[in-house]
Amino acid sequence: MHTLVHQPAMLAIVVAYLAILLLVGLHFYNKQKSVAANESGADFFLAGRSLGKIVAVGTMLATFTGNGTISGGGNSLAFNYGLWSGIFFVVPPILSFSFLYFAAPKIRAGGHTTVAEMIEDRFGSNARFFAGIIIALAMVSIVSYQYRGLGFILNATTGISVETCTAICCAVVVALAFSGGLRTVAATDALSAFLMVGGLVIGIPFLLNAIGGWGWVIENAAVNDPKSLTFFGGQTLIGWAGGYLPLFFLTIGDQNYYQRINAAKDLKTARAGLLGSMAGCCIIMPVVAVYAFCAKQWFGGNIRAGQALISTATLMPTIIGGIVLSAAAAFTITTGDSYLLSGASNFTIDIYRTHINPKATPADEMRASRWFILIAGVLAYVILQFFPSVLAIQYWSYTIYAAGMTPAVVGALLWSNCTKPGGVASMFVGTALTIAWEATLYKATGLQTIYVALPASFIVLVLVSLCTQPKKS
C-alpha cells in the first residue's frame, strides 16, 4: 500500500477554476443589483423561467452529482464494498429522472417556486410551514458535506489540514450562492457539468498508466480483497439496496429539480434537461467507481473512503491531475450552492413571506434570502462536525427528506384522494421516525433508517387519507 503524496503544483489549476466561478458569480451579483427592485423572489429562485437546454442539462446534472458522488455515494461504496457497488449507483438517477420526466407536465402546471407551495395547495398552510422547515433542514445538511469534499481536494494539493480546507470551501460556496440566485447557480453549474464529465473521463487512462494498468488492479483485488470483485461486495441484499433507496426517494421529491423544471423556458427544455442529466450520470457513476476502486488497491487503508477519487489525481501528470481535481471541485461547489439556494427559497417564500413579513417587497425578500444563505452556510459547517464521515451525513440528509417529504409530494402530485390529514401525518411520522431511529435504534439494530421511516410514512399517508375522505353528499 502506498501513502498519499501532496501535489502543490496542481493547486494553481484548481484555484484558476475557482476564480472563474467567483468571477461569474460577481457578474451576476452586479446584474442582480440592477434589477433587484423589480425582480420578485420567484425570479431570483427560478432565473426568470428562462433556462435553455444546455444550461438545463448542466444545472440538473451538476445538482445531482455533488460531493455525495465523489466523496460519499458511489465513491465510498466502491472503496468499501467493491466495483459493482459503485457502478450500481447509476440506478437511482435512471429511475428518479424517469419519474420526473413523466411528472414534469404536472410540476410545470403548478408553477410553484418551492415544493412547500405545492404542499400547501393540497394540505394547507400549516403543512407548508412544516414542509419548509423539513426541506430547509435537509438542504442545509446536504450543503454541509459538500464543504468536506473541497476540503479533501485542497488537502491533497497543499497538505493543509482537511478541517482548515473545509472552512475555505464554506466561504466559496456561500459567496456563490449569495451572489445572484439561480442565474448564477445555473450558469456555474453548466460550466462545471461539462468539466466534470470531460475531466473525469480524461483522467482514467493516465491513472491506469500510473498504477500498472487495469490488470494489476484486478490482480491485487483478487489477492487482498476478493469480496470486492463480487456483486454484493460482502453486503447483504438489504444492506446493498439500502445504499441506493435514499437517493432515489430524495430525488423524486427534491425541490431542486422541481425548481429547475419550472425554471426551464418550456416543457420540452425541462425534459431535455432531465434526459441529458440521466445520460451524464450514466457516464459519471461508473467512472467514479473505477477511480475509487483503483484508489482502494493503491492506497488501501492509508486514506479515508471519502478521499478515494481525489487521491488518485495526485498520481497523474500535473495538468491532468489538476483538471481532475478541478472537476471534483466542480462536483462539490455546484451542488453546495444549489442546495443552499434551495434552502433559502424555503425560508424566504414559505416562512419569511408567509409568516414573518407578508407585506415584504422584492428588496425585503432578497435581503432575507441572503441573510439565510449566510447564516445557513455557517450552520452547515457546524453540523458537519457531528458526523463521522461524508457517507453518514449523506444518508441522514437523504433519508430525512425521502421519508419526511417525498411520500407527501408523490401523494400531492399523483393521488387525488390524498387528504390534508394524510399528508401532514405522513410528513410528521417520516421526519420523527428518521430522527428517532438514527439517534437511538440504528446502532442497536443495524437496520438502515430508510427501511423503517419511508414505509411508515407511505403507510400513514394512505391509511389516514382513506380514513379522512370527505363524506359524499
Side-chain angles (χ1 to χ4, degrees):
M1 294 183 186
H2 302 78
T3 57
L4 175 64
V5 178
H6 301 293
Q7 301 289 352
M10 294 180 183
L11 181 61
I13 299 172
V14 177
V15 169
Y17 162 72
L18 295 179
I20 292 171
L21 286 189
L22 289 172
L23 286 172
V24 172
L26 180 62
H27 166 75
F28 281 103
Y29 177 71
N30 291 328
K31 185 176 181 180
Q32 189 69 40
K33 286 198 299 183
S34 68
V35 300
N38 300 313
E39 186 168 63
S40 67
D43 288 327
F44 182 74
F45 294 117
L46 296 181
R49 304 180 192 271
S50 62
L51 299 186
K53 288 181 181 178
I54 292 176
V55 176
V57 170
T59 189
M60 289 182 187
L61 177 60
T63 298
F64 188 90
T65 52
N67 184 49
T69 302
I70 56 108
S71 288
N75 170 84
S76 289
L77 289 172
F79 187 88
N80 291 327
Y81 302 110
L83 186 62
W84 287 108
S85 292
I87 289 175
F88 264 76
F89 214 66
V90 76
V91 173
I94 291 174
L95 297 180
S96 55
F97 283 136
S98 296
F99 174 91
L100 292 172
Y101 179 90
F102 290 107
K106 285 193 173 183
I107 294 170
R108 286 185 62 86
H112 300 107
T113 305
T114 70
V115 164
E117 278 186 311
M118 182 177 72
I119 291 293
E120 181 182 34
D121 283 351
R122 289 297 304 273
F123 306 132
S125 59
N126 290 335
R128 176 180 183 176
F129 182 76
F130 187 34
I133 293 173
I134 296 171
I135 296 170
L137 176 61
M139 299 295 110
V140 171
S141 299
I142 290 170
V143 169
S144 68
Y145 64 78
Q146 309 306 319
Y147 298 161
R148 182 56 52 81
L150 189 54
F152 285 145
I153 294 168
L154 296 181
N155 167 261
T157 55
T158 66
I160 298 171
S161 72
V162 172
E163 288 69 25
T164 301
C165 294
T166 300
I168 295 171
C169 180
C170 171
V172 173
V173 170
V174 170
L176 283 172
F178 186 86
S179 56
L182 188 58
R183 283 191 175 91
T184 297
V185 171
T188 55
D189 281 357
L191 175 68
S192 300
F194 301 106
L195 173 63
M196 286 187 270
V197 176
L200 291 185
V201 171
I202 287 171
I204 285 288
F206 291 94
L207 171 61
L208 294 177
N209 181 65
I211 63 177
W214 186 246
W216 176 87
V217 174
I218 297 300
E219 228 174 85
N220 191 74
V223 172
N224 297 313
D225 190 16
K227 283 185 179 180
S228 67
L229 296 175
T230 64
F231 188 80
F232 290 114
Q235 300 180 92
T236 63
L237 176 60
I238 290 176
W240 182 82
Y244 312 114
L245 288 175
L247 179 57
F248 167 68
F249 283 101
L250 164 75
T251 305
I252 66 173
D254 189 345
Q255 178 170 275
N256 274 290
Y257 304 107
Y258 287 61
Q259 287 178 329
R260 282 154 176 75
I261 287 169
N262 280 320
K265 63 182 181 181
D266 52 39
L267 176 61
K268 186 176 180 180
T269 300
R271 283 180 154 175
L274 292 165
L275 291 177
S277 300
M278 186 193 303
C281 287
C282 289
I283 298 171
I284 289 173
M285 300 305 173
V287 169
V288 167
V290 170
Y291 272 99
F293 191 62
C294 290
K296 180 61 177 288
Q297 308 314 313
W298 187 261
F299 294 109
N302 291 327
I303 59 170
R304 308 181 207 180
Q307 293 175 285
L309 182 149
I310 292 164
S311 297
T312 61
T314 64
L315 304 174
M316 304 174 193
T318 300
I319 293 177
I320 301 299
I323 291 173
V324 171
L325 288 178
S326 296
F331 278 88
T332 65
I333 291 173
T334 53
T335 299
D337 57 30
S338 291
Y339 279 91
L340 194 53
L341 182 67
S342 188
S345 70
N346 283 111
F347 172 77
T348 304
I349 295 171
D350 301 318
I351 299 174
Y352 177 76
R353 182 203 291 174
T354 305
H355 296 275
I356 298 174
N357 187 5
K359 296 181 180 180
T361 65
D364 292 333
E365 292 179 8
M366 198 78 68
R367 279 192 295 270
S369 66
R370 285 185 166 137
W371 272 110
F372 177 89
I373 287 169
L374 288 173
I375 295 169
V378 174
L379 178 61
Y381 179 78
V382 173
I383 289 173
L384 183 61
Q385 314 311 311
F386 294 93
F387 287 85
S389 69
V390 168
L391 199 59
I393 191 171
Q394 180 184 11
Y395 281 161
W396 145 262
S397 308
Y398 289 2
T399 303
I400 197 169
Y401 195 105
M405 284 303 306
T406 298
V409 170
V410 172
L413 271 176
L414 304 180
W415 189 27
S416 60
N417 289 328
C418 188
T419 65
K420 176 180 176 180
V424 173
S426 170
M427 288 190 290
F428 177 79
V429 169
T431 303
L433 260 180
T434 298
I435 295 171
W437 196 268
E438 284 284 332
T440 58
L441 294 174
Y442 172 64
K443 288 184 179 179
T445 64
L447 182 64
Q448 288 120 308
T449 307
I450 192 71
Y451 288 120
V452 179
L454 182 67
S457 185
F458 271 115
I459 289 170
V460 166
L461 176 76
V462 173
L463 290 181
V464 175
S465 291
L466 291 178
C467 292
T468 56
Q469 290 296 307
K471 294 182 180 179
K472 295 180 180 180
S473 55

